[in-house]
């Protein structure tokens, strides 16, 4: 018996109130405990989302009856079909249904591996579950697109007086096409993500840049996401590429890790091999705060030869240059630290930039494009912001959402009279080892003097 709409509404409102109360309670806890609570909340949200997707896929794939998504012909025929369906005895479980259930189970295990199966290199089961999840999302995407096409045809035939009788794809053909698309898209996306990231060369003008800094190479890496599907081996290969570029500066613009130092210390070890003329620098991303272990990561990164710019800056003087040739390299905490009320952390443009000389070039590291825009709109001089976070959307259809919710999406942007923002598409990926419609990159940035 269907639940009355009023009862569903009451349950929905009560659930929302319960969630808000839980969030408020979490904010009152110590930040390490708070991070664990937020991770638990996220696990629940992921499972709810996957349950809804699994329910949708089951409805469309568990049998291949040649039905359309629109009610065709007449109400009488529809009622007859409903009657037949009710009278049909419960079918025996088929091999196909068993495969679907096992497959959905794998996908539901994917994010849980973040809690139990992280170490120096990815565990085979974590890789399997996340690969399955990538195909699963492509399968759901394809079915939604086919349903939209069918609905569009229904509307066209209705407007032409033909009623809701025509569709492009039957339920059977939609299922077959969706599976074919998902397999092909997943194969391409997984293959792309298995390759080394491409070196992307970008030339950026900087106002008042000293001739001593002309041609300086900054190598930016971002969004490596050491965790269930990225580990020591991939990071070691990335470090080899960086060293071949002979960089002057190396910067990591956040989301290096998805776990604690205790879990991923060995996975991060290759960073110690990075060599640069003026130093290696790091700023936090939102995922560092989700670990609840940021301060320990600062200690570990110092051991690995990285300076963490924690709402701070350093003045860099070029080799053979004078003190008036400085560049102020600044870095701010990720803005999600504010949302999480993470003690001692949070986006702070004043603390980060107030000691930079407004007559000299300022380069800011800020993980999220929203933080980049906030810094550029502040009263402080900022010539160049290096960001990440968006992954260029990572894969379709996530690309659409990433494009619309970020003020800067991917690549180089001019801002105001002389400022620029560069948003990396990420050096690896988060969770799902898939790239579809986006590119993994190691960015080799060359600075040159902006025309007067």
């Amino acid at each position: 018996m269907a639940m009355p709409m009023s009862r569903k509404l009451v349950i929905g409102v009560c659930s929302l109130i319960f969630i808000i109360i839980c969030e408020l309670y979490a904010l009152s806890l110590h930040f390490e405990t708070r991070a664990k609570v937020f991770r638990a909340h996220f696990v629940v949200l992921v499972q709810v989302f996957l349950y809804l997707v699994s329910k949708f896929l089951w409805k469309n794939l568990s049998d291949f009856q040649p039905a359309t998504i629109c009610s065709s012909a007449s109400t009488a025929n529809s009622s007859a079909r409903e009657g037949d369906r009710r009278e049909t005895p419960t079918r025996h479980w088929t091999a196909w249904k068993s495969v679907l259930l096992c497959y959905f189970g794998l996908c539901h295990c994917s994010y849980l591996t973040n809690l139990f199966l992280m170490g120096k290199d990815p565990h085979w089961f974590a890789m399997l579950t996340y690969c399955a999840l990538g195909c699963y999302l492509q399968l759901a995407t394809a079915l939604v697109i086919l349903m939209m096409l069918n609905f569009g045809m229904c509307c066209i035939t209705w407007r032409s007086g033909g009623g809701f009788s025509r569709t492009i794809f039957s339920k059977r053909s939609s299922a077959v096409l969706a599976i074919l698309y998902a397999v092909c898209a997943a194969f391409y996306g997984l293959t792309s993500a298995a390759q080394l990231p491409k070196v992307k060369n970008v030339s950026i003008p900087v106002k008042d840049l000293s001739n001593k800094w002309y041609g300086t190479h900054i190598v930016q890496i971002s969004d490596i996401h050491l965790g269930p599907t990225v580990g020591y081996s991939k990071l070691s290969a990335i470090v080899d590429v960086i060293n071949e570029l002979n960089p002057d500066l190396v910067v990591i613009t956040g989301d290096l890790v998805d776990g604690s130092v205790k879990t991923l210390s060995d996975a991060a070890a290759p960073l110690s091999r990075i060599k640069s003329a003026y130093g290696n620098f790091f700023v936090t991303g939102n995922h560092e705060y989700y670990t609840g272990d940021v301060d320990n990561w600062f200690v570990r990164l110092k051991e690995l030869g990285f300076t963490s710019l924690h709402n701070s800056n350093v003045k860099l003087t070029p080799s053979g240059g004078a003190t008036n040739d400085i560049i102020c390299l600044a870095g701010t905490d990720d803005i999600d630290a504010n949302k999480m009320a993470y003690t001692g952390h949070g986006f702070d443009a004043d603390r980060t930039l107030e000691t930079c000389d407004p007559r000299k070039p300022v380069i800011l590291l800020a993980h999220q494009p929203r933080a980049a825009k906030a810094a550029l709109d502040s009263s402080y001089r900022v010539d160049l912001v290096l960001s990440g976070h968006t992954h260029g959307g990572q894969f379709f259809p996530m690309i659409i959402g990433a494009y619309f919710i970020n003020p800067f999406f991917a690549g180089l942007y001019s801002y105001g009279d002389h400022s620029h923002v560069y948003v990396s598409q990420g050096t690896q990926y988060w969770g799902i080892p898939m790239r579809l419609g986006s590119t993994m990159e190691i960015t080799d940035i060359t600075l040159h003097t902006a025309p007067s």
Side-chain angles (χ1 to χ4, degrees), residues 226-279:
L226 292 173
T229 56
V230 180
Y232 179 96
S233 300
K234 285 197 171 185
L235 183 57
S236 187
I238 290 166
V239 168
D240 290 340
V241 175
I242 292 171
N243 286 335
E244 287 174 7
L245 296 173
N246 194 26
D248 295 303
L249 284 166
V250 174
V251 298
I252 301 177
T253 50
D255 282 4
L256 171 65
V257 294
D258 278 325
S260 65
V261 170
K262 182 180 178 181
T263 305
L264 295 172
S265 179
D266 290 342
L271 293 175
S272 65
R273 295 194 292 107
I274 293 179
K275 294 177 172 57
S276 62
Y278 296 102

CSV table of all heavy atoms in Angstrom, one decimal, residues 226-279:
chain,number,residue,atom,x,y,z
A,226,LEU,N,45.8,11.1,-2.6
A,226,LEU,CA,46.4,9.8,-2.1
A,226,LEU,C,45.3,9.2,-1.2
A,226,LEU,O,44.8,9.8,-0.3
A,226,LEU,CB,47.6,10.1,-1.2
A,226,LEU,CG,48.9,10.6,-2.0
A,226,LEU,CD1,50.0,10.9,-1.0
A,226,LEU,CD2,49.4,9.5,-3.0
A,227,GLY,N,45.0,7.9,-1.5
A,227,GLY,CA,43.9,7.3,-0.8
A,227,GLY,C,43.6,5.9,-1.3
A,227,GLY,O,44.5,5.2,-1.6
A,228,PRO,N,42.3,5.6,-1.5
A,228,PRO,CA,42.0,4.2,-1.9
A,228,PRO,C,42.4,3.8,-3.3
A,228,PRO,O,42.6,2.6,-3.5
A,228,PRO,CB,40.4,4.2,-1.7
A,228,PRO,CG,40.0,5.6,-1.8
A,228,PRO,CD,41.1,6.4,-1.2
A,229,THR,N,42.5,4.8,-4.2
A,229,THR,CA,42.9,4.4,-5.6
A,229,THR,C,44.1,5.1,-6.1
A,229,THR,O,44.5,5.0,-7.3
A,229,THR,CB,41.7,4.7,-6.5
A,229,THR,OG1,41.3,6.1,-6.4
A,229,THR,CG2,40.5,3.9,-6.2
A,230,VAL,N,44.8,5.9,-5.3
A,230,VAL,CA,46.0,6.6,-5.7
A,230,VAL,C,47.0,6.4,-4.5
A,230,VAL,O,46.7,6.6,-3.4
A,230,VAL,CB,45.9,8.1,-5.9
A,230,VAL,CG1,47.2,8.7,-6.3
A,230,VAL,CG2,44.8,8.3,-7.0
A,231,GLY,N,48.3,5.9,-4.9
A,231,GLY,CA,49.2,5.6,-3.8
A,231,GLY,C,50.7,5.9,-4.2
A,231,GLY,O,50.9,6.7,-5.1
A,232,TYR,N,51.6,5.3,-3.6
A,232,TYR,CA,53.0,5.5,-3.7
A,232,TYR,C,53.5,5.4,-5.1
A,232,TYR,O,54.2,6.3,-5.6
A,232,TYR,CB,53.7,4.5,-2.8
A,232,TYR,CG,55.2,4.6,-2.9
A,232,TYR,CD1,56.0,5.2,-1.9
A,232,TYR,CD2,56.0,3.9,-3.9
A,232,TYR,CE1,57.3,5.3,-1.9
A,232,TYR,CE2,57.4,4.0,-3.9
A,232,TYR,CZ,58.0,4.7,-2.9
A,232,TYR,OH,59.4,4.7,-3.0
A,233,SER,N,53.1,4.4,-5.9
A,233,SER,CA,53.6,4.1,-7.2
A,233,SER,C,53.2,5.3,-8.2
A,233,SER,O,54.1,5.8,-8.9
A,233,SER,CB,53.0,2.8,-7.8
A,233,SER,OG,53.4,1.8,-6.9
A,234,LYS,N,52.0,5.7,-8.1
A,234,LYS,CA,51.6,6.8,-9.0
A,234,LYS,C,52.3,8.1,-8.6
A,234,LYS,O,52.7,8.9,-9.5
A,234,LYS,CB,50.1,7.0,-9.0
A,234,LYS,CG,49.3,5.9,-9.8
A,234,LYS,CD,47.9,6.3,-10.1
A,234,LYS,CE,47.3,5.3,-11.0
A,234,LYS,NZ,45.9,5.7,-11.5
A,235,LEU,N,52.4,8.4,-7.3
A,235,LEU,CA,53.0,9.6,-6.9
A,235,LEU,C,54.5,9.6,-7.3
A,235,LEU,O,55.1,10.6,-7.7
A,235,LEU,CB,52.9,9.8,-5.4
A,235,LEU,CG,53.4,11.1,-4.8
A,235,LEU,CD1,52.9,12.3,-5.5
A,235,LEU,CD2,53.2,11.1,-3.3
A,236,SER,N,55.1,8.5,-7.2
A,236,SER,CA,56.5,8.4,-7.5
A,236,SER,C,56.8,8.7,-9.0
A,236,SER,O,57.7,9.4,-9.4
A,236,SER,CB,57.0,6.9,-7.2
A,236,SER,OG,58.4,6.8,-7.4
A,237,ALA,N,55.9,8.2,-9.9
A,237,ALA,CA,56.0,8.5,-11.3
A,237,ALA,C,55.8,10.0,-11.6
A,237,ALA,O,56.4,10.6,-12.4
A,237,ALA,CB,54.9,7.7,-12.1
A,238,ILE,N,54.9,10.6,-10.8
A,238,ILE,CA,54.6,12.1,-10.9
A,238,ILE,C,55.9,12.8,-10.5
A,238,ILE,O,56.2,13.8,-11.2
A,238,ILE,CB,53.4,12.5,-10.1
A,238,ILE,CG1,52.1,11.9,-10.7
A,238,ILE,CG2,53.3,14.0,-10.0
A,238,ILE,CD1,50.9,12.0,-9.8
A,239,VAL,N,56.5,12.4,-9.5
A,239,VAL,CA,57.7,13.1,-9.0
A,239,VAL,C,58.8,13.0,-10.0
A,239,VAL,O,59.6,14.0,-10.3
A,239,VAL,CB,58.2,12.5,-7.6
A,239,VAL,CG1,59.6,13.0,-7.3
A,239,VAL,CG2,57.2,12.9,-6.5
A,240,ASP,N,58.9,11.9,-10.7
A,240,ASP,CA,59.9,11.7,-11.8
A,240,ASP,C,59.7,12.8,-12.9
A,240,ASP,O,60.7,13.4,-13.4
A,240,ASP,CB,59.9,10.3,-12.4
A,240,ASP,CG,60.4,9.3,-11.4
A,240,ASP,OD1,61.1,9.6,-10.5
A,240,ASP,OD2,60.0,8.1,-11.6
A,241,VAL,N,58.4,13.0,-13.3
A,241,VAL,CA,58.1,13.9,-14.3
A,241,VAL,C,58.5,15.4,-13.8
A,241,VAL,O,59.0,16.2,-14.6
A,241,VAL,CB,56.6,13.9,-14.7
A,241,VAL,CG1,56.3,15.0,-15.7
A,241,VAL,CG2,56.3,12.5,-15.3
A,242,ILE,N,58.1,15.7,-12.6
A,242,ILE,CA,58.4,17.0,-12.0
A,242,ILE,C,59.9,17.3,-12.1
A,242,ILE,O,60.4,18.4,-12.5
A,242,ILE,CB,57.9,17.1,-10.6
A,242,ILE,CG1,56.4,17.1,-10.6
A,242,ILE,CG2,58.4,18.4,-9.9
A,242,ILE,CD1,55.8,17.0,-9.2
A,243,ASN,N,60.7,16.4,-11.7
A,243,ASN,CA,62.2,16.6,-11.6
A,243,ASN,C,62.8,16.7,-13.0
A,243,ASN,O,63.8,17.5,-13.2
A,243,ASN,CB,62.9,15.4,-10.9
A,243,ASN,CG,62.7,15.5,-9.4
A,243,ASN,OD1,62.4,16.6,-8.8
A,243,ASN,ND2,62.7,14.4,-8.7
A,244,GLU,N,62.2,16.1,-14.0
A,244,GLU,CA,62.6,16.2,-15.4
A,244,GLU,C,62.4,17.7,-15.9
A,244,GLU,O,63.1,18.1,-16.8
A,244,GLU,CB,61.9,15.2,-16.3
A,244,GLU,CG,62.4,13.8,-16.1
A,244,GLU,CD,61.6,12.8,-16.9
A,244,GLU,OE1,60.7,13.3,-17.7
A,244,GLU,OE2,61.7,11.6,-16.8
A,245,LEU,N,61.4,18.4,-15.3
A,245,LEU,CA,61.1,19.7,-15.7
A,245,LEU,C,62.1,20.8,-15.1
A,245,LEU,O,62.1,21.9,-15.5
A,245,LEU,CB,59.7,20.1,-15.3
A,245,LEU,CG,58.6,19.3,-16.0
A,245,LEU,CD1,57.2,19.6,-15.4
A,245,LEU,CD2,58.5,19.5,-17.5
A,246,ASN,N,62.9,20.3,-14.2
A,246,ASN,CA,63.9,21.2,-13.5
A,246,ASN,C,63.3,22.5,-13.0
A,246,ASN,O,63.6,23.6,-13.4
A,246,ASN,CB,65.0,21.5,-14.5
A,246,ASN,CG,66.2,22.1,-13.9
A,246,ASN,OD1,66.5,21.9,-12.7
A,246,ASN,ND2,67.0,23.0,-14.6
A,247,PRO,N,62.3,22.4,-12.1
A,247,PRO,CA,61.5,23.6,-11.7
A,247,PRO,C,62.3,24.5,-10.8
A,247,PRO,O,63.2,24.1,-10.1
A,247,PRO,CB,60.3,23.0,-11.0
A,247,PRO,CG,60.9,21.7,-10.4
A,247,PRO,CD,61.9,21.2,-11.4
A,248,ASP,N,61.9,25.8,-10.8
A,248,ASP,CA,62.4,26.8,-9.9
A,248,ASP,C,61.6,26.7,-8.6
A,248,ASP,O,62.1,26.9,-7.5
A,248,ASP,CB,62.3,28.2,-10.5
A,248,ASP,CG,63.2,28.3,-11.7
A,248,ASP,OD1,64.4,28.1,-11.5
A,248,ASP,OD2,62.7,28.7,-12.8
A,249,LEU,N,60.3,26.5,-8.7
A,249,LEU,CA,59.4,26.4,-7.5
A,249,LEU,C,58.4,25.2,-7.8
A,249,LEU,O,58.0,25.0,-8.9
A,249,LEU,CB,58.5,27.6,-7.4
A,249,LEU,CG,59.2,28.9,-6.8
A,249,LEU,CD1,58.2,30.0,-7.0
A,249,LEU,CD2,59.4,28.7,-5.3
A,250,VAL,N,58.1,24.5,-6.7
A,250,VAL,CA,57.0,23.5,-6.9
A,250,VAL,C,56.0,23.8,-5.8
A,250,VAL,O,56.3,24.0,-4.6
A,250,VAL,CB,57.6,22.0,-6.6
A,250,VAL,CG1,56.5,21.0,-6.6
A,250,VAL,CG2,58.6,21.7,-7.7
A,251,VAL,N,54.7,23.8,-6.3
A,251,VAL,CA,53.6,24.1,-5.4
A,251,VAL,C,52.5,23.0,-5.5
A,251,VAL,O,52.2,22.5,-6.6
A,251,VAL,CB,53.0,25.5,-5.7
A,251,VAL,CG1,54.0,26.6,-5.4
A,251,VAL,CG2,52.4,25.6,-7.0
A,252,ILE,N,52.0,22.6,-4.3
A,252,ILE,CA,50.9,21.7,-4.3
A,252,ILE,C,49.7,22.5,-3.8
A,252,ILE,O,49.7,23.0,-2.6
A,252,ILE,CB,51.1,20.5,-3.3
A,252,ILE,CG1,52.3,19.7,-3.7
A,252,ILE,CG2,49.9,19.6,-3.2
A,252,ILE,CD1,52.7,18.6,-2.8
A,253,THR,N,48.7,22.6,-4.6
A,253,THR,CA,47.5,23.5,-4.3
A,253,THR,C,46.3,22.7,-3.7
A,253,THR,O,45.2,22.8,-4.2
A,253,THR,CB,47.1,24.3,-5.5
A,253,THR,OG1,46.9,23.5,-6.6
A,253,THR,CG2,48.1,25.4,-5.8
A,254,GLY,N,46.6,21.8,-2.7
A,254,GLY,CA,45.6,21.2,-2.0
A,254,GLY,C,45.1,19.8,-2.4
A,254,GLY,O,45.4,19.4,-3.5
A,255,ASP,N,44.3,19.2,-1.5
A,255,ASP,CA,43.8,17.8,-1.8
A,255,ASP,C,44.9,16.8,-2.1
A,255,ASP,O,44.7,16.0,-3.1
A,255,ASP,CB,42.7,17.9,-2.8
A,255,ASP,CG,41.4,18.4,-2.3
A,255,ASP,OD1,41.3,18.8,-1.1
A,255,ASP,OD2,40.4,18.4,-3.0
A,256,LEU,N,45.9,16.9,-1.3
A,256,LEU,CA,47.0,15.9,-1.5
A,256,LEU,C,46.6,14.5,-1.0
A,256,LEU,O,46.9,13.5,-1.6
A,256,LEU,CB,48.3,16.3,-0.8
A,256,LEU,CG,49.4,15.3,-0.6
A,256,LEU,CD1,50.0,15.0,-2.0
A,256,LEU,CD2,50.5,15.9,0.3
A,257,VAL,N,45.8,14.5,0.1
A,257,VAL,CA,45.5,13.2,0.8
A,257,VAL,C,44.0,13.1,1.1
A,257,VAL,O,43.3,14.1,1.2
A,257,VAL,CB,46.3,13.1,2.1
A,257,VAL,CG1,47.8,13.0,1.8
A,257,VAL,CG2,46.0,14.3,3.0
A,258,ASP,N,43.6,11.8,1.3
A,258,ASP,CA,42.2,11.5,1.7
A,258,ASP,C,42.2,10.7,3.0
A,258,ASP,O,41.3,9.9,3.3
A,258,ASP,CB,41.5,10.8,0.6
A,258,ASP,CG,40.9,11.7,-0.4
A,258,ASP,OD1,40.5,12.8,0.0
A,258,ASP,OD2,40.9,11.4,-1.6
A,259,GLY,N,43.3,10.8,3.7
A,259,GLY,CA,43.4,10.0,5.0
A,259,GLY,C,44.4,10.6,5.9
A,259,GLY,O,45.1,11.6,5.6
A,260,SER,N,44.6,9.9,7.0
A,260,SER,CA,45.5,10.4,8.1
A,260,SER,C,47.0,10.1,7.8
A,260,SER,O,47.3,9.3,6.9
A,260,SER,CB,45.1,9.8,9.4
A,260,SER,OG,45.4,8.3,9.3
A,261,VAL,N,47.9,10.8,8.5
A,261,VAL,CA,49.3,10.5,8.4
A,261,VAL,C,49.6,9.1,8.7
A,261,VAL,O,50.4,8.4,8.0
A,261,VAL,CB,50.1,11.5,9.3
A,261,VAL,CG1,51.6,11.1,9.3
A,261,VAL,CG2,50.0,12.9,8.8
A,262,LYS,N,49.0,8.6,9.7
A,262,LYS,CA,49.2,7.2,10.1
A,262,LYS,C,48.9,6.2,9.0
A,262,LYS,O,49.6,5.2,8.8
A,262,LYS,CB,48.3,6.9,11.3
A,262,LYS,CG,48.5,5.4,11.9
A,262,LYS,CD,47.5,5.2,13.1
A,262,LYS,CE,47.7,3.8,13.6
A,262,LYS,NZ,46.8,3.5,14.8
A,263,THR,N,47.9,6.5,8.2
A,263,THR,CA,47.5,5.6,7.1
A,263,THR,C,48.3,5.8,5.9
A,263,THR,O,48.6,4.9,5.2
A,263,THR,CB,46.0,5.9,6.8
A,263,THR,OG1,45.2,5.7,8.0
A,263,THR,CG2,45.5,4.9,5.7
A,264,LEU,N,48.6,7.1,5.5
A,264,LEU,CA,49.2,7.4,4.2
A,264,LEU,C,50.6,8.0,4.2
A,264,LEU,O,51.1,8.5,3.2
A,264,LEU,CB,48.2,8.4,3.5
A,264,LEU,CG,46.8,7.8,3.2
A,264,LEU,CD1,45.9,8.9,2.6
A,264,LEU,CD2,46.9,6.7,2.1
A,265,SER,N,51.2,7.9,5.4
A,265,SER,CA,52.6,8.5,5.5
A,265,SER,C,53.5,7.9,4.4
A,265,SER,O,54.3,8.6,3.7
A,265,SER,CB,53.2,8.2,6.9
A,265,SER,OG,54.5,8.8,7.0
A,266,ASP,N,53.5,6.6,4.3
A,266,ASP,CA,54.4,5.9,3.3
A,266,ASP,C,54.0,6.3,1.9
A,266,ASP,O,54.9,6.4,1.0
A,266,ASP,CB,54.4,4.4,3.5
A,266,ASP,CG,55.0,3.9,4.8
A,266,ASP,OD1,55.8,4.7,5.3
A,266,ASP,OD2,54.7,2.8,5.2
A,267,ALA,N,52.7,6.4,1.6
A,267,ALA,CA,52.3,6.8,0.2
A,267,ALA,C,52.8,8.1,-0.2
A,267,ALA,O,53.1,8.4,-1.4
A,267,ALA,CB,50.7,6.8,0.2
A,268,ALA,N,53.0,9.0,0.8
A,268,ALA,CA,53.4,10.4,0.5
A,268,ALA,C,55.0,10.5,0.4
A,268,ALA,O,55.5,11.6,0.0
A,268,ALA,CB,52.9,11.4,1.5
A,269,ALA,N,55.7,9.5,0.7
A,269,ALA,CA,57.2,9.5,0.8
A,269,ALA,C,57.9,10.0,-0.5
A,269,ALA,O,58.9,10.7,-0.4
A,269,ALA,CB,57.7,8.1,1.2
A,270,PRO,N,57.4,9.7,-1.7
A,270,PRO,CA,58.1,10.2,-2.9
A,270,PRO,C,58.2,11.7,-3.0
A,270,PRO,O,59.1,12.2,-3.7
A,270,PRO,CB,57.2,9.7,-4.1
A,270,PRO,CG,56.5,8.5,-3.5
A,270,PRO,CD,56.3,8.8,-2.1
A,271,LEU,N,57.4,12.5,-2.3
A,271,LEU,CA,57.5,13.9,-2.3
A,271,LEU,C,58.9,14.4,-1.8
A,271,LEU,O,59.4,15.5,-2.2
A,271,LEU,CB,56.5,14.6,-1.4
A,271,LEU,CG,55.0,14.4,-1.9
A,271,LEU,CD1,54.1,15.0,-0.8
A,271,LEU,CD2,54.8,15.1,-3.2
A,272,SER,N,59.6,13.6,-1.0
A,272,SER,CA,60.9,14.0,-0.5
A,272,SER,C,62.0,14.0,-1.7
A,272,SER,O,63.0,14.7,-1.5
A,272,SER,CB,61.4,13.0,0.5
A,272,SER,OG,61.6,11.7,0.0
A,273,ARG,N,61.7,13.4,-2.8
A,273,ARG,CA,62.6,13.4,-3.9
A,273,ARG,C,62.5,14.7,-4.8
A,273,ARG,O,63.3,14.8,-5.8
A,273,ARG,CB,62.4,12.2,-4.8
A,273,ARG,CG,62.8,10.9,-4.0
A,273,ARG,CD,62.9,9.7,-5.0
A,273,ARG,NE,61.7,9.3,-5.6
A,273,ARG,CZ,61.4,9.5,-6.9
A,273,ARG,NH1,62.2,10.2,-7.7
A,273,ARG,NH2,60.2,9.1,-7.4
A,274,ILE,N,61.5,15.5,-4.6
A,274,ILE,CA,61.3,16.6,-5.5
A,274,ILE,C,62.4,17.7,-5.2
A,274,ILE,O,62.6,18.1,-4.1
A,274,ILE,CB,59.9,17.3,-5.3
A,274,ILE,CG1,58.8,16.3,-5.7
A,274,ILE,CG2,59.8,18.6,-6.0
A,274,ILE,CD1,57.4,16.9,-5.5
A,275,LYS,N,63.0,18.1,-6.3
A,275,LYS,CA,64.1,19.1,-6.2
A,275,LYS,C,63.7,20.4,-7.0
A,275,LYS,O,63.2,20.3,-8.1
A,275,LYS,CB,65.4,18.5,-6.8
A,275,LYS,CG,65.9,17.4,-6.0
A,275,LYS,CD,67.2,16.8,-6.6
A,275,LYS,CE,67.8,15.7,-5.7
A,275,LYS,NZ,66.9,14.6,-5.4
A,276,SER,N,63.9,21.5,-6.4
A,276,SER,CA,63.6,22.8,-7.0
A,276,SER,C,64.6,23.9,-6.5
A,276,SER,O,65.1,23.7,-5.4
A,276,SER,CB,62.1,23.3,-6.7
A,276,SER,OG,61.9,23.4,-5.3
A,277,ALA,N,64.7,24.9,-7.3
A,277,ALA,CA,65.7,25.9,-6.9
A,277,ALA,C,65.3,26.8,-5.7
A,277,ALA,O,66.2,27.1,-4.9
A,277,ALA,CB,66.0,26.9,-8.1
A,278,TYR,N,64.0,27.1,-5.6
A,278,TYR,CA,63.6,28.0,-4.5
A,278,TYR,C,62.7,27.4,-3.5
A,278,TYR,O,62.2,28.1,-2.6
A,278,TYR,CB,63.0,29.3,-5.1
A,278,TYR,CG,63.9,30.1,-6.0
A,278,TYR,CD1,63.8,30.0,-7.4
A,278,TYR,CD2,64.8,30.9,-5.4
A,278,TYR,CE1,64.7,30.7,-8.2
A,278,TYR,CE2,65.7,31.7,-6.2
A,278,TYR,CZ,65.6,31.5,-7.6
A,278,TYR,OH,66.5,32.3,-8.4
A,279,GLY,N,62.5,26.1,-3.6
A,279,GLY,CA,61.7,25.5,-2.5
A,279,GLY,C,60.4,24.9,-3.0
A,279,GLY,O,59.9,25.1,-4.1
